[in-house]
Amino acid sequence: MTSIAAVSSYLPDTVPLASLQEQVGLSDVQLRRYQRFYGLADVCRDEGGTETDLLLRAAAKLTELRGQEQRVKYVLQARTMPSPLPYPLTSVGPLREELGLGHAAGFVVSHHACASGLLAVDMAGMLLAADGDPDALALVLAGEKACTYRTQSIPDVTVMGEGAVAMLVSGEDAGPNRMLGYAARTHARFHSDFILGGDAAKDFQAQYLPGLCEVVVTALEEAGCGLDELALVLPHNVNRLSWMGVCKQLGIPMEKVFLDLVGAAGHCFCADPFLNLQHAQELGRLRPGDRYVMTSVGLGATFSAMVFEH
C-alpha cells in the first residue's frame, strides 16, 4: 500500500504575469486572455536560485525527515525535462549529500513529462514493496527552473512557475494519504515535438478533454470509488478554463477543483498536484476519510490520475 506520509512545499516570491509578457512572448491579446479567462495573474519565480536550491528549500520544510534519514532508501527526482547535466552532476547527487541521504539510491524520473510526479510516487511505492522493509521510506522531489525561452511557457495554455515539493512515501498503510488507484495513458503520436504546432496542436487539444476524463474514470474504478464520492480534485495548474470542460464532462462541481494556486504560482512542472495537496491540507480542505484525485498531463503525451484517501 503506497502512502504519502508527509509533504512540504516551497513557493518563491511571485511576479505579475504582465511583467513576463515580453519574456514569454505574449501579445496584448494573449495576455488579456491569460488573465481574464485562464485565471493566470502571478507566477512564482526564484531568480537567484538554482534547481538544487529550490528542492533543498522544499526539503528543509519536511520536518518529518529529520531523524528519519536512515530509513530513506530511495530518492526520486521527478522532472518534466530530461536532466540538462549527466550524472553525477545532476541535482540528485548534491541533494542526497546535503540531506544526509548519501546511502540511498537516487535517480531521475522524466518519462511522463509533467505527469512524472505521479509516476515517481507509484514507482517509489513499488520499490518499497519489493524491498520488504516495512520501515523503509522514499523521498520524492519535484520542481524545476523555467530557465530557457522554451521552458517558460506552453503557448496558448499556461506560464511556468518555479514551485517545489518534497514528499516522504511509505510502502505501508502508514501515511495520512494512501493511494487507492492510479491510471496513466500515453498517446505516443504526440511524442515528436516538445511544443506542438499546426495540426498536431489541434489534435492534442481535441484529445485533451477525453484523454484526461478517461484516466480519471479509470483510476476511480481501480480505487472502487465513484465520482460522487470525491471530496476534492488536486489538479495540474495549467489554467482555469481547461477545468471548466473537464468538470462539465465528468459532472464534477467546479468548487471541488482546488484552483487556488493557478493564479498565484503558475504551472510548476511536476510539482502542481503535490503543491495543491500541501496547501489544501493547510487550509483544512481535506478531512479524515475524504477521497480525492490528483491529475497531471505531460506533453508527449501522458494523461495521469491518482486517487487517494486522506
Side-chain angles (χ1 to χ4, degrees), residues 104 115 170 233 237 257:
S170 169
V233 176
N237 300 330
V257 185

Side-chain angles (χ1 to χ4, degrees), residues 17 42 52 63 66 93 100 108 115 121 144-145 181 194 199-200 203-204 242 246 259 264 283 287 296:
L17 176 61
D42 298 313
T52 302
T63 56
R66 306 298 165 256
V108 170
V121 169
E144 292 168 60
K145 295 288 292 181
F194 175 62
D199 291 341
D203 191 14
F204 179 74
S242 65
V246 174
L259 295 170
L283 294 171
R287 297 172 297 179
S296 201

Side-chain angles (χ1 to χ4, degrees), residues 43 45 89 121 180 183 212 238 242 254-255:
V43 181
R45 292 288 176 86
L89 301 178
V121 169
L180 303 179
L212 184 52
V238 287
S242 65
M254 275 290 288
E255 55 267 26

Side-chain angles (χ1 to χ4, degrees), residues 2 4 9 12 61-62 64 80 115 152 170 180 200 267 285:
T2 302
I4 297 177
S9 66
K61 297 182 178 183
L62 193 63
E64 294 84 354
T80 292
Q152 290 190 36
S170 169
L180 303 179
H267 177 29
R285 293 287 301 275

Side-chain angles (χ1 to χ4, degrees), residues 129-203:
D131 185 87
D133 181 356
D135 292 325
L137 297 169
L139 177 66
V140 177
L141 301 151
E144 292 168 60
K145 295 288 292 181
C147 54
T148 69
Y149 177 77
R150 288 177 68 84
T151 60
Q152 290 190 36
S153 71
I154 302 174
D156 296 318
V157 177
T158 194
V159 176
M160 310 305 286
E162 295 181 347
V165 294
M167 295 170 283
L168 283 178
V169 175
S170 169
E172 297 292 309
D173 187 8
N177 298 283
R178 62 189 187 102
M179 189 177 80
L180 303 179
Y182 172 50
R185 182 178 177 191
T186 299
H187 297 259
R189 67 182 183 277
F190 299 111
H191 80 282
S192 59
D193 295 306
F194 175 62
I195 299 297
L196 298 172
D199 291 341
K202 293 178 182 177
D203 191 14

